[in-house]
Structures are given as C-alpha cells and as structure tokens.
Amino acid sequence: MDSKQLKWLLLAALALIWGSSFILIKRGLVGLTPFQVGSLRMLFAFSFLLIVGFRSLTQIPLGKWKYIALTAFTGTFVPAFLFAIAQSEIDSSISAILNSLTPLNALILGVTFFGLAFQRSQFIGVMVGLAGSLILILSGAAHNPDQDYFYALFVVVATFCYALNVNFIKKYLSDISPLAITTGNFVVMAVPALLILFSTGFFGQLQEVKVQHSVVFVGILGIIGTGIANMLYFKLIQMTSPVFAASSAYLFPVVAIFWGVLDGEVLSIVQVLGAIIILAGVYLSAKK
C-alpha cells in the first residue's frame, strides 16, 4: 500500500476509534469519577503498551525524553481528565463536536509559536470556527438546562493541548517510531496516573457491579482508544502534517453522534447549525 492510500486508511481508522471514545467515556462515568476514568484509561494503555512496545524504548535517545514527557502531558494526561470532567456534565456528542476545534487550534498555535505561514481564508476559518463553538455552547446551555455548559470549556482547553502536542511531535519527534513515542509517553504517565487513582479510593469500590462494568468500558478505551490510536496518530503525523493529522477530528462527530443518538442523546437544530459552522471553519482553516 502506498503512502497516499495509507494516510487515508489511518485517518478513517482514527475517526472510527476516537469517534467511539466519547461514548466509552460516558459509559465509564456511570460507575466511576472523572479522575478514575482518566487515570484508569492511562493505566490500561500503559499495561498494553508495556507488553507490545517495551523494547522500542531503546530507540529513544536520552536527550529526547524531555520531549516525550512534554507530549505525554499535553497529548494524553491533561486531556484525559479534561474530557472526563466535561462529560460528567455535557453530552458525549457535544464533546465530540467541540473536539473538532483541534485542527483549527493546531493552525493558531502553529502560526503563533511554530512559524507556520497562513492565508486569509485560514484566518476567516478561525473566526468562523470560534463563532460556531459559541453558538453550540450557548444553544446547548439553553436546550439542556439540566446540564452545566461551562464544562464545555474543558473540551476547548483539551483541544489546545492536542494542538500543542501535534506540533511538538512534528517538530521534535519525527525521527522516532510511533510505537516508541507512544510507549514512552505512557511510561512517563504511569506513576502519576496510579497515584491519582489511589487518591480516589477506587480500590475500595471494586466490589460494586456498576464500577466493574465501567472498568470494562474504560479498559476498551485505554487499550484501543488510547494505546493503539496514539500509535496510529503519531504515524499519521510523521507521514503528513500537523494540520492534516489533526483533521481526523473532522470525522469524530459523525461517529460520536451516531453512538449518542443510539444512547438517547438529542441535538437541537441550532446545535446542528453550530456543529456545521465549526466544521466549515475547520475546513477553511486547513485550506492552503
């Protein structure tokens, strides 16, 4: 398979895996707290990657470990908790739609800090995307008075973390295999994640059936939606560009809304409009 075909296959796989991660977070939150979901997600991924990628750690030069740590915390550690906290109050489909801001934010940060050139259409895209986000958040708050849409801002912050991460990997870690980067990331995060999990009293709750069910969903999220997906994502970044790799977020809402509707979530017409505006802004921001 040539590189052009492979990049689109990777993009589609990421859309399916990460688009499904929002409903898995929602299911995890049935019996777990946001901090338990976030820490367990990382520990499941760590356990899996230690088995398949331990030998790859020798590929990471000593001087690169600071960048491994940097990408670990911006790309996974902080967002894992932010998304879980956000979805304790807002629907999974809304979370997925707002996650589409990632490529737009990758452009903003790329221009601001990484010397990326931009065109007028891309600037317009940024403004349109921000307007769509505002519409989505405000209409969601009005349509769902039982939900606290302040928590949507946690998703927005997470997308900036993802955008930083994709630029860091492209600039500092392009010469290291995706498996080594991913495994190194979770080696760095394992101890902090375990300490957080211990602090929540998780191990005293394991006898509860709903906790056990939630752990299964988070296990799937950690192994497939985090460990395997990160390897595919880092490979895509190295093959293409930060903005193209981040554009996988365009497709997440399609998958996430499908799962959300099956789970009883409903989007208002104004929310759908906001989602379309966000995607239009992201499309414009990615044009060259």
Side-chain angles (χ1 to χ4, degrees), residues 59-71 171-176:
Q59 300 173 21
I60 305 174
L62 189 60
K64 292 282 188 177
W65 275 99
K66 59 180 177 290
Y67 300 121
I68 293 291
L70 188 63
T71 57
K171 184 170 183 177
Y172 300 116
L173 298 174
S174 286
D175 56 337
I176 298 175

Short mmCIF file of all heavy atoms in Angstrom, two decimals, residues 59-71 171-176:
data_model
loop_
_atom_site.label_atom_id
_atom_site.label_comp_id
_atom_site.label_asym_id
_atom_site.label_seq_id
_atom_site.Cartn_x
_atom_site.Cartn_y
_atom_site.Cartn_z
N GLN A 59 14.95 2.93 21.48
CA GLN A 59 15.09 3.81 20.31
C GLN A 59 15.05 5.29 20.69
O GLN A 59 15.33 6.15 19.85
CB GLN A 59 13.96 3.53 19.31
CG GLN A 59 13.91 2.11 18.78
CD GLN A 59 12.68 1.87 17.93
OE1 GLN A 59 12.06 2.81 17.42
NE2 GLN A 59 12.28 0.62 17.78
N ILE A 60 14.69 5.59 21.93
CA ILE A 60 14.55 6.99 22.34
C ILE A 60 15.87 7.47 22.94
O ILE A 60 16.29 7.01 24.00
CB ILE A 60 13.43 7.15 23.38
CG1 ILE A 60 12.10 6.59 22.85
CG2 ILE A 60 13.26 8.62 23.76
CD1 ILE A 60 10.98 6.58 23.88
N PRO A 61 16.55 8.41 22.28
CA PRO A 61 17.79 8.96 22.84
C PRO A 61 17.52 9.67 24.16
O PRO A 61 16.42 10.20 24.38
CB PRO A 61 18.26 9.95 21.77
CG PRO A 61 17.53 9.57 20.53
CD PRO A 61 16.23 8.99 20.98
N LEU A 62 18.49 9.69 25.03
CA LEU A 62 18.32 10.30 26.35
C LEU A 62 17.85 11.75 26.24
O LEU A 62 16.99 12.21 27.00
CB LEU A 62 19.64 10.24 27.12
CG LEU A 62 19.59 10.65 28.60
CD1 LEU A 62 18.62 9.77 29.37
CD2 LEU A 62 20.98 10.59 29.22
N GLY A 63 18.39 12.49 25.26
CA GLY A 63 18.04 13.90 25.10
C GLY A 63 16.62 14.14 24.61
O GLY A 63 16.13 15.28 24.66
N LYS A 64 15.95 13.07 24.13
CA LYS A 64 14.58 13.21 23.61
C LYS A 64 13.51 12.97 24.68
O LYS A 64 12.33 13.22 24.45
CB LYS A 64 14.36 12.22 22.46
CG LYS A 64 15.18 12.51 21.20
CD LYS A 64 14.57 13.63 20.38
CE LYS A 64 15.26 13.79 19.05
NZ LYS A 64 14.65 14.83 18.20
N TRP A 65 13.93 12.46 25.85
CA TRP A 65 12.93 12.12 26.86
C TRP A 65 12.17 13.34 27.37
O TRP A 65 11.00 13.23 27.77
CB TRP A 65 13.57 11.36 28.02
CG TRP A 65 13.66 9.89 27.75
CD1 TRP A 65 14.75 9.20 27.30
CD2 TRP A 65 12.59 8.94 27.85
NE1 TRP A 65 14.44 7.87 27.14
CE2 TRP A 65 13.12 7.68 27.48
CE3 TRP A 65 11.26 9.02 28.25
CZ2 TRP A 65 12.35 6.52 27.47
CZ3 TRP A 65 10.49 7.86 28.24
CH2 TRP A 65 11.03 6.63 27.86
N LYS A 66 12.79 14.50 27.32
CA LYS A 66 12.06 15.70 27.77
C LYS A 66 10.89 16.00 26.83
O LYS A 66 9.83 16.47 27.25
CB LYS A 66 13.00 16.91 27.87
CG LYS A 66 13.72 17.30 26.61
CD LYS A 66 14.62 18.51 26.88
CE LYS A 66 15.43 18.92 25.66
NZ LYS A 66 16.47 17.92 25.34
N TYR A 67 11.09 15.70 25.52
CA TYR A 67 10.00 15.91 24.57
C TYR A 67 8.95 14.80 24.69
O TYR A 67 7.76 15.04 24.46
CB TYR A 67 10.55 15.96 23.15
CG TYR A 67 11.55 17.08 22.94
CD1 TYR A 67 12.86 16.81 22.54
CD2 TYR A 67 11.20 18.40 23.17
CE1 TYR A 67 13.78 17.84 22.36
CE2 TYR A 67 12.10 19.44 23.01
CZ TYR A 67 13.40 19.14 22.61
OH TYR A 67 14.30 20.16 22.44
N ILE A 68 9.39 13.59 25.02
CA ILE A 68 8.45 12.50 25.28
C ILE A 68 7.54 12.89 26.45
O ILE A 68 6.31 12.72 26.39
CB ILE A 68 9.19 11.19 25.60
CG1 ILE A 68 9.95 10.67 24.36
CG2 ILE A 68 8.23 10.14 26.14
CD1 ILE A 68 9.06 10.17 23.25
N ALA A 69 8.12 13.43 27.52
CA ALA A 69 7.34 13.85 28.68
C ALA A 69 6.40 14.99 28.31
O ALA A 69 5.23 15.03 28.73
CB ALA A 69 8.27 14.28 29.81
N LEU A 70 6.89 15.93 27.51
CA LEU A 70 6.09 17.09 27.09
C LEU A 70 4.87 16.63 26.30
O LEU A 70 3.74 17.08 26.55
CB LEU A 70 6.96 18.02 26.25
CG LEU A 70 6.38 19.38 25.86
CD1 LEU A 70 6.12 20.22 27.10
CD2 LEU A 70 7.35 20.12 24.92
N THR A 71 5.08 15.72 25.34
CA THR A 71 3.96 15.23 24.52
C THR A 71 3.03 14.33 25.33
O THR A 71 1.83 14.27 25.06
CB THR A 71 4.46 14.49 23.27
OG1 THR A 71 5.31 13.40 23.67
CG2 THR A 71 5.24 15.41 22.36
N LYS A 171 7.74 18.58 15.25
CA LYS A 171 8.99 19.35 15.32
C LYS A 171 10.12 18.58 16.00
O LYS A 171 11.27 18.65 15.56
CB LYS A 171 8.75 20.67 16.06
CG LYS A 171 9.98 21.57 16.08
CD LYS A 171 9.65 22.95 16.59
CE LYS A 171 10.87 23.87 16.53
NZ LYS A 171 10.56 25.25 16.96
N TYR A 172 9.81 17.84 17.06
CA TYR A 172 10.88 17.26 17.88
C TYR A 172 11.01 15.73 17.82
O TYR A 172 12.06 15.20 18.18
CB TYR A 172 10.66 17.65 19.35
CG TYR A 172 10.68 19.14 19.60
CD1 TYR A 172 9.54 19.78 20.07
CD2 TYR A 172 11.83 19.89 19.37
CE1 TYR A 172 9.54 21.16 20.31
CE2 TYR A 172 11.84 21.27 19.60
CZ TYR A 172 10.70 21.89 20.08
OH TYR A 172 10.70 23.25 20.31
N LEU A 173 9.96 15.03 17.37
CA LEU A 173 10.00 13.57 17.47
C LEU A 173 9.73 12.84 16.16
O LEU A 173 9.39 11.66 16.16
CB LEU A 173 8.98 13.11 18.53
CG LEU A 173 9.21 13.60 19.96
CD1 LEU A 173 8.05 13.19 20.86
CD2 LEU A 173 10.53 13.06 20.51
N SER A 174 9.91 13.51 15.05
CA SER A 174 9.62 12.90 13.75
C SER A 174 10.57 11.75 13.42
O SER A 174 10.27 10.93 12.55
CB SER A 174 9.69 13.95 12.64
OG SER A 174 8.56 14.79 12.69
N ASP A 175 11.72 11.70 14.08
CA ASP A 175 12.71 10.66 13.78
C ASP A 175 12.59 9.43 14.68
O ASP A 175 13.43 8.53 14.62
CB ASP A 175 14.12 11.24 13.90
CG ASP A 175 14.39 11.85 15.27
OD1 ASP A 175 13.41 12.22 15.95
OD2 ASP A 175 15.56 11.96 15.66
N ILE A 176 11.56 9.37 15.50
CA ILE A 176 11.37 8.25 16.43
C ILE A 176 10.10 7.49 16.05
O ILE A 176 9.10 8.10 15.65
CB ILE A 176 11.29 8.76 17.88
CG1 ILE A 176 12.60 9.45 18.26
CG2 ILE A 176 11.00 7.62 18.85
CD1 ILE A 176 12.59 10.08 19.62
#
